């Protein structure tokens, strides 16, 4: 699969969300961080804002739920217009059931892991998912520095995906920028969430194009990609 860029509106101007969504219309996804001030120490937005964004842009919404009780709330984000919904395995009560419910409602089902959460205990769950998100910072706030100690975890996850022959997207979120995206792509990621690297640029659309080109170049040279 070609690398995909998902700009995070956490770094956008919340007073101008419709305009900010239009500013990155060449992106593959629009990443929407939903935080409840319980699972993470920050509070952002919820279902009504997602409904409004879905009406304001043709770019599919990639909703990342950093919330407690995702089993209860995730299906509502699909109904609000999200094309992909990510829940944290640390918060989910029944991750397989939840992934199946998200898929049944017509969205892509994704599971996220905090930096300290290993991938190996969840190997058997991978066929139930459309995407796996490896957090490369502690979830909760934008603008954090990339944790390069997550690169081996990304590699191990890519190996598990290959081992089972899955068409599973591998997303990274946190500190992704021009200086880190190639490392992530080389390790096995193919979907990249970028916040300040996009919305902090003078031309967000050009920033998306530049990041995608970097990821494509690094992916073409990566050993995991060459093996396919």
């Amino acid at each position: 699969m070609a690398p995909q860029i998902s700009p995070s509106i956490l770094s956008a101007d919340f007073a101008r969300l419709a305009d900010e969504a239009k500013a990155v219309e060449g992106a593959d996804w629009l990443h929407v961080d939903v935080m409840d001030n319980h699972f993470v120490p920050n509070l952002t937005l919820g279902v009504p804002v997602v409904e409004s964004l879905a009406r304001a842009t043709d770019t599919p919404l990639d909703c990342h739920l950093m919330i407690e009780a995702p089993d209860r709330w995730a299906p509502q984000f699909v109904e609000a217009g999200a094309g992909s919904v990510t829940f944290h395995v640390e918060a989910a009560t029944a991750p397989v059931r939840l992934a199946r419910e998200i898929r049944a409602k017509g969205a892509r089902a994704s599971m996220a892991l905090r930096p300290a959460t290993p991938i190996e205990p969840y190997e058997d769950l991978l066929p139930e998912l459309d995407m796996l998100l490896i957090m490369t910072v502690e979830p909760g706030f934008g603008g954090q520095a990339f944790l390069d100690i997550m690169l081996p975890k990304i590699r191990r996850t890519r190996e598990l995906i290959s081992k089972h022959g899955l068409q599973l997207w591998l997303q990274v979120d946190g500190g992704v920028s021009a200086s880190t995206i190639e490392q992530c792509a080389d390790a096995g990621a193919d979907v990249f969430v970028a916040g300040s690297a996009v919305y902090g640029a003078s031309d967000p659309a050009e920033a998306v194009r530049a990041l995608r080109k970097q990821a494509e170049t690094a992916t073409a040279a990566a050993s995991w990609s060459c093996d396919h």
Side-chain angles (χ1 to χ4, degrees):
M1 187 196 75
Q4 300 184 71
I5 307 297
S6 185
S8 172
I9 63 165
L10 188 63
S11 298
D13 182 348
F14 273 32
R16 303 173 51 253
L17 283 185
D19 292 336
E20 296 283 61
K22 287 183 173 62
V24 293
E25 283 185 338
D28 301 283
W29 295 87
L30 190 65
H31 192 81
V32 182
D33 287 309
V34 178
M35 307 182 192
D36 64 357
N37 200 32
H38 293 286
F39 182 72
V40 292
N42 197 1
L43 184 65
T44 54
L45 46 81
V47 170
V49 175
V50 171
E51 287 178 334
S52 296
L53 266 175
R55 291 193 298 267
T57 180
D58 291 329
T59 306
L61 303 184
D62 168 26
C63 287
H64 177 192
L65 309 185
M66 288 168 271
I67 62 174
E68 292 182 351
D71 303 74
R72 172 187 175 189
W73 291 105
Q76 295 186 39
F77 284 91
V78 182
E79 294 166 3
S84 176
V85 176
T86 300
F87 61 87
H88 269 264
V89 70
E90 303 91 351
T93 300
V96 171
R97 183 176 64 197
L98 179 55
R100 289 180 178 181
E101 185 173 2
I102 292 170
R103 280 176 156 180
K105 286 184 173 290
R108 296 180 64 84
S110 172
M111 188 174 78
L113 279 65
R114 300 182 85 143
T117 303
I119 179 58
E120 286 78 10
Y122 304 104
E123 179 178 352
D124 291 343
L125 274 63
L126 296 183
E128 300 289 339
L129 304 169
D130 297 296
M131 183 169 73
L132 189 87
L133 167 55
I134 301 293
M135 291 299 299
T136 44
V137 298
E138 287 294 341
F141 294 92
Q144 298 184 63
F146 178 79
L147 295 174
D148 58 3
I149 59 172
M150 291 297 102
L151 292 169
K153 182 176 173 181
I154 297 168
R155 292 186 188 280
R156 294 196 306 273
T157 304
R158 174 53 65 186
E159 289 169 1
L160 289 177
I161 293 170
S162 298
K163 171 185 172 182
H164 293 282
L166 300 173
Q167 297 299 312
L168 179 65
W169 297 356
L170 180 51
Q171 185 179 66
V172 288
D173 180 4
V176 176
S177 67
S179 62
T180 60
I181 193 168
E182 292 178 15
Q183 298 174 66
C184 295
D186 180 70
D190 51 18
V191 185
F192 306 88
V193 177
S196 51
V198 171
Y199 281 111
S202 57
D203 185 341
E206 175 56 32
V208 169
R209 289 190 291 270
L211 288 170
R212 185 186 288 115
K213 185 174 181 179
Q214 280 188 274
E216 288 172 347
T217 300
T219 298
S223 59
W224 67 267
S225 178
C226 296
D227 291 339
H228 291 75

